[in-house]
Amino acid sequence: MKAYHTPFLSLPHASALALLLLLSACSGLKYVPAKEKLYTGSTVKIEAQQKPKNESALQTELESVVRPKPNFSFLGLRPKLFFWHLGVGKTKGFGHFLAGKLGEAPVLLSQVKIPATENLMLNRLYNHGFFEGKVAHEVKEQEKTAQVNYTATVSRAYTIRSLTFPPGDTLLNAAIRATQPGTLLKVGDPYDLNVLTNERLRIDEALKNQGYYYFSADALLFQVDSTYHKELNVFVTVKGSTPARSRQPYKLRQVTLNTNYVLTDTTSRPPIMADGFRYFPDETMFRAKAITRATFLFPDSLYRRKRRDQTLSRLMSLGTFKFVEIRFRPVAAGDSAGPTARYRANAPASLRADSTALGTTLPFPALSGPPGLGRLDADVLMTQLKKKSLRAELGLVSKSNGFVGPGLKVTYRNHSAFHGAEQLLLNAVASTETQSQSGGEGALGLTSYELGLDAQLLVPRLIVPNLPFFNPRLVNSDFQPRTTFGAGAKLVTRAGFFSEQLFNANYGYSFKTKITNEQQITPIDVSYVRLSNVSDAFTALLAQKTFLQNSFREQFILASSYRYTYNQQVLEQRRQQIYFQGGLETSGNLAALVSSKVGTKNDDGKYTIGNQVFSQYAKLDLEIREYYRLSDDPAKGNRLVGRLLAGVGRPYGNSDVLPYIKQYGIGGPNSVRAFAARGIGPGTYKPTGADVANSFYDQVGDIRLEGNVEYRQDLFPYVKGALFMDAGNIWLVNDDPARPGGQFKAGSFLNQLAVGAGAGIRIDVQFFVIRFDYAVPLRAGYGTPTDDAGNPSRTGRLNLAIGYPF
């Protein structure tokens, strides 16, 4: 008799078997009930003899009605089903917790309502003019799974043959006809319910800006005549049930401004007349002019929703109110008496004169206009913020140059410093910062101490001369323009090497014409930089490097700048968002022009102001970003993000190099993350020998080019992941023998880009983001990355930072 012996499984075989069992469990098929099949999803196909217009959009819309969603699957694995199974029959414990947080019950074929889905698809086809469309389905079953495939068959869509707006000479019909030049309905276009809906909203918006306060888009009716073969006659009409008040425009009679409204308001202060408005004075906070200047609802003017929205936006952008509300009340028939005499009688004796410090008490103009106009009174109710506030912030300072450390910031804010809604901000800053070494032992400037004090005054208007071609109120903008005055002083100490005092004063304007567009003009931005407490080591370094000596010299920076920003990120529903910022800055040109006529040069051949040299340069900076969300759901964070930065600064005239604070550096947690801050370039330059210790100062330049691409993925609540790649470098405009290979050359600069790639984890709790990014260098500006000893190295770098890199 022959005996057989079965050996135990070897370790590799046992591991493979365990892996197969795990994969089997994660596939989720073992959790499907008997006589049921797991629903794995659907496909939607459109069949047509002639390709429909916007076929991809139509298919996306048909796919959107498919229900239910199948279980989450990745490479055939369904881990959420596995976690769901851990909690089956449990009301508490770790398995129940995992099932609730990470699990998902199986979605079965029996739960798929195929007829309902087909009806929804037919409805969407009808909405796009495919009135003869048909939808069929096919169920593809396997042993434990099933898929439902839908096919929509369509012929040519019905098109618009003619369009007729309501006839007649009533005010409402005439107003609707006046909107026809901007209609969205075009003869020859396919019938589309979405376009009809948007057309109703367009007409309603136009009427709201012509006085029709009570009109509603629901009052509009589109009647369609389809007597022609696949062609439609469309008639725009007003429903007969529309009430009389919706059929007439309204004018404003009186506008009341209450700047200190609360829900339990029992205002006993008598109102006065200020610039034609009924105004409740609050002189401890505002002068009347500050509020009336931001109000665009005028007595005896036609009601316009645009002016209502503009008033809300302007008053909120003053930064002095928590809430602003506007209420409209119809004026009873026959109540035509103006309010002026009544309010004058109630006003204090000091305010009864025709002219006061608050405004004028002239009567309202008499209401006039064609018959059929109604009248409204408007109450503008404003709830104030506290006039003064003091705030202290203790946090982690994280700068683009790689310095990180604790910092204290104390801010005092006055929301109406001079009773004109001017915001006064006083900031005091103290911090100590350390940068990880970018070179060898003894690297200069690794520890920094900073003390600063600055003040800003934001005036909610443009303080400019009267010009015949420019209205400083920007009456067509919803946003309050500002004039900004600023001044500050800062002391920066690089421990053991030098102290630097920076003094600054500026004056400029900022204004927005649209929510996405902002412009900043700073005609005066004066800075003075002074070095002190310079150590022997830093003095020796300056003596060796002429460009550093010129960069750190005591000097005036007499700059002017213009910056334009276009930002679609405020449009949160957009799937694709663009951000662009461009800025131009010049310095010293006017001073050089004057000095060339009346000034003299110092021993170095430079013009001076008060025996101090002033810098002269021009600098252009461009940045463009694109954010593309992978899901239609705005709440989803999965997106592709790209950024391109380009900048160039050119010293000339009175300067040989840019001031050090105006030069570019690259690398660090918000730049090319595989390299230290200012650890790249310029060009192919690589510090060697003694220069390694001073690379933080050497690796700056006049030209910058940088690109980043990043994929961001939601992982868990408040936790996001990312994969990224960065590339960039800086270059010099003029050759510097101390930094060979640093000059920009058009034929070779692309081959000098440093490249890095990596992955990151971000903890995003809305009001702050902590970011961990690990990046590996793939290429340095000089070629293969090396360590300080010159050996090839691809050692990664962990970046800890606050906020997203862009």
Side-chain angles (χ1 to χ4, degrees), residues 331-647:
V331 177
D335 185 6
S336 59
T340 303
R342 180 165 62 255
Y343 298 142
R344 270 183 172 173
N346 294 332
S350 62
L351 300 180
R352 290 179 188 168
D354 285 343
S355 178
T356 73
L358 295 178
T360 61
T361 55
L362 298 175
F364 282 110
L367 287 169
S368 60
L373 267 68
R375 289 174 296 163
L376 296 171
D377 286 341
D379 296 321
V380 185
L381 309 174
M382 295 158 268
T383 303
Q384 296 179 14
L385 293 165
K386 290 184 178 180
K387 183 177 180 180
K388 300 176 182 179
S389 65
L390 185 66
R391 180 177 181 178
E393 298 178 11
L394 181 63
L396 179 69
V397 178
S398 177
K399 296 184 176 179
S400 59
N401 61 8
F403 280 95
V404 179
L408 174 65
K409 181 179 181 181
V410 179
T411 300
Y412 166 82
R413 184 188 295 265
N414 189 319
H415 288 99
S416 189
F418 303 106
H419 304 285
E422 305 93 348
Q423 293 197 53
L424 175 65
L425 287 83
L426 299 176
N427 297 304
V429 177
S431 65
T432 175
E433 305 157 10
T434 302
Q435 189 207 34
S436 59
Q437 291 185 354
S438 59
E441 294 296 326
L444 290 177
L446 295 181
T447 303
S448 173
Y449 305 96
E450 181 177 314
L451 295 173
L453 181 66
D454 68 80
Q456 268 193 318
L457 180 65
L458 309 177
V459 182
R461 64 184 183 277
L462 297 181
I463 303 176
V464 295
N466 290 325
L467 301 173
F469 55 86
F470 179 71
N471 186 339
R473 289 192 69 192
L474 301 180
V475 294
N476 292 320
S477 171
D478 290 344
F479 305 93
Q480 192 71 28
R482 297 188 185 278
T483 302
T484 303
F485 300 88
K490 184 187 296 184
L491 171 65
V492 178
T493 300
R494 298 283 190 259
F497 298 98
F498 67 85
S499 294
E500 188 175 39
Q501 295 91 42
L502 298 95
F503 304 92
N504 176 264
N506 57 72
Y507 163 75
Y509 309 99
S510 63
F511 54 92
K512 301 175 72 171
T513 53
K514 297 180 180 179
I515 191 173
T516 55
N517 299 9
E518 182 174 10
Q519 299 182 67
Q520 294 175 284
I521 302 173
T522 307
I524 300 175
D525 190 356
V526 179
S527 300
Y528 176 66
V529 183
R530 178 177 179 271
L531 277 181
S532 62
N533 300 324
V534 180
S535 68
D536 293 340
F538 193 68
T539 300
L541 177 64
L542 295 181
Q544 296 170 13
K545 300 180 180 295
T546 305
F547 84 94
L548 274 184
Q549 190 175 42
N550 291 330
S551 297
F552 276 95
R553 70 185 178 188
E554 296 181 12
Q555 59 188 305
F556 283 105
I557 302 175
L558 310 174
S560 300
S561 63
Y562 169 78
R563 189 170 301 278
Y564 172 80
T565 302
Y566 176 74
N567 184 10
Q568 290 183 335
Q569 288 181 280
V570 295
L571 308 176
E572 296 180 354
Q573 299 300 315
R574 283 186 64 96
R575 192 165 180 176
Q576 181 184 37
Q577 298 169 334
I578 300 295
Y579 174 94
F580 170 79
Q581 186 175 88
L584 177 65
E585 178 180 316
T586 63
S587 175
N589 293 333
L590 181 59
L593 178 63
V594 173
S595 296
S596 67
K597 304 297 183 183
V598 299
T600 58
K601 295 183 178 181
N602 63 10
D603 295 340
D604 296 327
K606 309 296 183 185
Y607 291 113
T608 62
I609 297 177
N611 294 324
Q612 294 293 336
V613 173
F614 59 86
S615 61
Q616 192 175 4
Y617 62 85
K619 193 177 180 189
L620 175 67
D621 287 288
L622 301 173
E623 177 179 3
I624 185 168
R625 309 178 203 160
E626 181 176 358
Y627 302 82
Y628 182 76
R629 189 176 66 246
L630 300 180
S631 169
D632 289 330
D633 185 357
K636 298 293 185 181
N638 304 348
R639 62 189 62 200
L640 287 171
V641 185
R643 177 178 69 169
L644 179 65
L645 291 167

Side-chain angles (χ1 to χ4, degrees), residues 22 34 38 53 58 127 177 259 367 413 418 481 498 521 565 570 611 616 681 719 730 764:
L22 178 62
L38 187 72
K53 185 178 180 180
L58 176 62
N127 290 348
R177 284 199 308 275
T259 63
L367 287 169
R413 184 188 295 265
F418 303 106
F498 67 85
I521 302 173
T565 302
V570 295
N611 294 324
Q616 192 175 4
V719 179
I730 54 173
D764 185 346

